[in-house]
Amino acid sequence: MGGEVYGMTQMTEAHRTLPCGTGILVENRLDGRTAEVRITDRGPFVDDRILDLSAAAARVLGAVGPGVIPVRVRVIAPPGGAVPDSATEITDTRALRSDDGARASAR
């Protein structure tokens, strides 16, 4: 964990490997909606998913209604204020899935 309490109204997410405190840009590949979120936790712990988004981020991305959307992820702010590496984009056809309206997961 990143030492922060999860807040579903905050623009946060969980990721398995990127360091807590990392800022990322998540893009809905269906309609181009984007959301800047900060990694504050580890997860998801479900196979074939790459992100757990807060309810606020899922709403901005349009993931709550359809439940599953394809995404593109790019690191925009590494922890500690380092300059992002140009190779920090993750193009992924896996999708965000809304789980009970509280969080969304990517697979």
Side-chain angles (χ1 to χ4, degrees):
M1 285 230 253
E4 296 182 44
V5 176
Y6 167 73
M8 67 182 204
T9 62
Q10 303 299 310
M11 297 295 285
T12 61
E13 73 155 0
H15 190 276
R16 288 187 190 114
T17 60
L18 290 172
C20 289
T22 300
I24 67 168
L25 182 70
V26 181
E27 177 186 351
N28 176 336
R29 293 179 58 166
L30 296 175
D31 63 15
R33 291 186 201 187
T34 61
E36 291 185 20
V37 298
R38 191 169 39 87
I39 297 171
T40 59
D41 203 354
R42 288 285 163 243
F45 300 107
V46 178
D47 289 340
D48 297 333
R49 297 189 187 162
I50 61 167
L51 305 173
D52 272 343
L53 288 172
S54 66
R59 227 177 345 274
V60 168
L61 289 165
V64 174
V68 176
I69 60 171
V71 298
R72 176 178 291 127
V73 176
R74 183 168 50 102
V75 173
I76 56 173
V83 176
D85 183 338
S86 61
T88 54
E89 183 168 315
I90 304 165
T91 300
D92 203 311
T93 57
R94 293 177 278 188
L96 289 163
R97 196 190 91 164
S98 177
D99 294 334
D100 74 18
R103 292 180 82 134
S105 297
R107 63 179 175 129

